[in-house]
Amino acid sequence: MTSPEERLAALVSEWYTEHARDLPWRAPGVSAWAVLVSEVMLQQTPVNRVLPVWREWLSRWPHPQDLAAEPAAEVIRAWGRLGYPRRALRLHECARALVERHDGVVPRDVDALLALPGIGSYTARAVAVFSYGDRHPVVDTNVRRFVARAVAGDADAGPPRATADLAAVEALLPADRTAAAVASIAFMELGALICTARGPRCADCPVYAECGWQRAGRPAATGPARKVQKFAGTDRQVRGLMMAVLRDATQPVPRADLDAVWPDATQRSRALAGLVDDGLVHQLPRDRYALPT
DNA sequence: TACACGTGGCT
DNA sequence: TAGCCAAGTGT
């Protein structure tokens, strides 16, 4: 007897073994630290942009101790243009926490992982599953979309519901922990390559025949459209421009150099204050600024 | 719950 | 072209 849930997991897992991308953090023997770094870099960031930076980081800092020993400025510079540089700062803090609290070893326990800076519900479980092979539901945007379509029969996932989302994915996991880990990465990969947000490639989908959304006649999305983040003209754009100036500088930068990136003085002040408040920028004497030491 | 938080490629 | 989208987290 095969339940519909077991069948979904089996079909997607079989598809994965044949069609998975050959990504370096999936290679056998890759350390938990390397997996953790990849997961943080991949937060809201496309694979192709992460690849070169991840290789550089793991070559430079193969263990948490190596990153922990660096000044924050080096870490932020090495983050380059990956975006959301607070992630770099948190990864640095995470490395130091690993050294202080876990002897430099990435913990296997989800609650211990959750207690680390920059590690949330997704990343904690991703590390426990993809690195240690344990059985936990791993819920990212790809998995939520796949479950919404294949199981619920909706066009898209609704707003995140942490507890319900975890339960919905848990219900799809095979009992065996190794099979569950494969299913978890397979759901993500299917969402990334086939069950995509725009233009899903349903003709190539291993679940086509049992997909709830197909069976329902591919109904259109119902709820309000997900609001897309504005960027042009926002503080985030100003922060990004200022960070680019500071990354490229070899000496502390006068305020005037940061002011040059944006015309509106009120917005400049707010952006810079935010960067200082976040710990991404240090204010020095004589109104000069630099990346944190 | 809703919002802030970078960057760049794609349609 | 302008908007959409990409393996989320913290507050």
Side-chain angles (χ1 to χ4, degrees), chain A residues 194-216:
Chain A
I194 302 291
C195 196
T196 52
R198 280 184 300 181
R201 301 162 53 189
C202 300
D204 297 325
C205 183
V207 166
Y208 183 86
E210 25 266 303
C211 176
W213 187 49
Q214 294 294 343
R215 291 182 169 182

Side-chain angles (χ1 to χ4, degrees), chain A residues 46-240:
Chain A
V47 165
N48 286 339
R49 210 176 308 161
V50 167
L51 278 167
V53 183
W54 181 84
R55 290 196 183 95
E56 165 74 12
W57 273 51
L58 270 297
S59 169
R60 263 180 97 172
W61 304 305
H63 306 288
Q65 292 88 335
D66 305 316
L67 187 67
E70 289 284 351
E74 270 308 295
V75 178
I76 293 168
R77 283 203 178 86
W79 193 255
R81 306 188 65 76
L82 233 34
Y84 293 140
R86 293 190 297 190
R87 290 183 294 165
L89 215 48
R90 299 233 173 84
L91 210 33
H92 190 227
E93 295 166 5
C94 179
R96 292 184 167 175
L98 288 171
V99 171
E100 291 170 13
R101 313 210 288 250
H102 300 287
D103 292 322
V105 178
V106 175
R108 179 171 185 159
D109 179 68
V110 168
D111 287 328
L113 286 161
L114 283 170
L116 295 166
I119 308 297
S121 175
Y122 163 76
T123 304
R125 290 176 177 81
V127 169
V129 172
F130 303 147
S131 187
Y132 292 111
D134 287 334
R135 186 181 181 282
H136 303 284
V138 179
V139 182
D140 76 336
T141 186
N142 288 310
V143 175
R144 285 184 357 93
R145 186 173 55 247
F146 166 70
V147 172
R149 289 176 181 161
V151 179
D154 297 329
D156 285 298
R161 297 264 184 272
T163 305
D165 291 343
L166 283 172
V169 176
E170 159 75 37
L172 296 180
L173 292 184
D176 175 73
R177 75 182 184 98
T178 302
V182 173
S184 291
I185 189 66
F187 291 148
M188 287 180 60
E189 190 78 340
L190 191 78
L193 298 182
I194 302 291
C195 196
T196 52
R198 280 184 300 181
R201 301 162 53 189
C202 300
D204 297 325
C205 183
V207 166
Y208 183 86
E210 25 266 303
C211 176
W213 187 49
Q214 294 294 343
R215 291 182 169 182
R218 296 173 66 107
T222 53
R226 184 166 68 99
K227 61 180 63 174
V228 63
Q229 306 245 18
K230 287 278 185 280
F231 178 67
T234 64
D235 289 1
R236 272 160 62 223
Q237 183 177 19
V238 184
R239 288 167 58 109

